Amino acid sequence: MTRAVGEAVLELVEGNIVDEVTDAIVNAANRGLRGGGGVDGAIHSAGGPAIMAECRRIGGCETGDAVITTGGALKARHVIHTVGPVYSGSPRDAELLASCYRRSIEVADANGLASVAFPSISTGAYGYPLDEAAEVALRATVDAMRAHPSVRKVRFVLYGATAYQAYASALERLLPR
Ligand code: AR6
């Protein structure tokens, strides 16, 4: 599924983010940038030790913020590590989740990157309900794309049909055809 956002393109696909050929893939990291399971584990195992070496030098990342490293052995040139909220049911969850997408796009723009691929942040180990997360993620991303038009292509790489469907429904509501 594809939508124009000004001159830029927002795309949803089902797949594995480690296979993306793009300027940067975004990692759903933790505050210590220590690595872990889920998409974080997949990115570090596919990208090799150079990514963790830079994460150690950076030292950590606050919830809702984003930092950039090399892409190591990945096809993506860089990894942008962002830290989603652990879902608690408070209104702050949505603010912090939106901040992850906004900060990631700001970091991409600040580094001259034109294409970025996101996973569905916080919807695995961190427990954010998928439908709610999809709406917050897409709204924040579209707003950030409008503010940073040099980021020309943003792709959500959704892991499995359930995640893809949740994002496709949310995008249809946000930007109807
Ligand atoms: N490509 C795309 N999406 C994926 C992939 C993949 N290869 N693998 C999993 N997902 P999670 P979180 C989806 O748990 O909830 C880690 O241990 C997955 O289906 O990876 O933000 C970190 O170190 C889900 O929809 O991230 C943190 O401690 C989504 O990615 C913590 O988990 C996010 O699930 C972060 O938890």
Side-chain angles (χ1 to χ4, degrees), residues 15-17 28-30 35-40 42 119-126 157 159:
N16 186 333
I17 203 164
N30 51 61
V39 71
D40 195 1
S120 175
I121 295 157
S122 283
T123 60
Y126 283 180
V157 181
Y159 201 60

Side-chain angles (χ1 to χ4, degrees), residues 24-80:
I25 63 173
V26 176
N27 182 20
N30 51 61
R31 296 202 308 162
L33 302 177
R34 284 177 266 94
V39 71
D40 195 1
I43 288 172
H44 281 288
S45 44
I51 301 175
M52 185 51 76
E54 274 190 52
C55 283
R56 281 207 198 88
R57 277 199 292 278
I58 295 166
C61 179
E62 291 304 318
T63 304
D65 203 359
V67 299
I68 189 168
T69 67
T70 175
L74 293 166
K75 291 170 199 148
R77 286 164 51 213
H78 299 277
V79 177
I80 295 171

Side-chain angles (χ1 to χ4, degrees), residues 9 82 100:
V9 173
T82 191
C100 288

Side-chain angles (χ1 to χ4, degrees), residues 2-177:
T2 300
R3 289 290 186 276
V5 178
E7 301 282 295
V9 173
L10 174 60
E11 198 172 32
L12 309 182
V13 298
E14 188 183 333
N16 186 333
I17 203 164
V18 304
D19 298 325
E20 286 294 300
V21 180
T22 178
D23 291 337
I25 63 173
V26 176
N27 182 20
N30 51 61
R31 296 202 308 162
L33 302 177
R34 284 177 266 94
V39 71
D40 195 1
I43 288 172
H44 281 288
S45 44
I51 301 175
M52 185 51 76
E54 274 190 52
C55 283
R56 281 207 198 88
R57 277 199 292 278
I58 295 166
C61 179
E62 291 304 318
T63 304
D65 203 359
V67 299
I68 189 168
T69 67
T70 175
L74 293 166
K75 291 170 199 148
R77 286 164 51 213
H78 299 277
V79 177
I80 295 171
H81 305 261
T82 191
V83 182
V86 177
Y87 188 74
S88 70
S90 93
R92 186 84 179 124
D93 298 337
E95 285 171 33
L96 290 169
L97 187 62
S99 176
C100 288
Y101 291 93
R102 184 170 57 244
R103 285 292 302 132
S104 295
I105 287 173
E106 285 172 4
V107 166
D109 189 8
N111 286 273
L113 309 185
S115 57
V116 181
F118 283 102
S120 175
I121 295 157
S122 283
T123 60
Y126 283 180
Y128 213 118
L130 195 50
D131 293 333
E132 272 180 57
E135 187 180 331
V136 171
L138 290 168
R139 188 182 302 276
T141 298
V142 167
D143 288 348
M145 289 173 73
R146 289 185 173 132
H148 299 275
S150 58
V151 179
R152 306 280 299 189
K153 188 169 179 187
V154 175
R155 193 172 226 236
F156 279 80
V157 181
L158 289 326
Y159 201 60
T162 306
Y164 179 82
Q165 269 314 321
Y167 276 73
S169 303
L171 186 55
E172 188 62 56
R173 286 192 296 273
L174 185 64
L175 300 176
R177 268 230 180 277

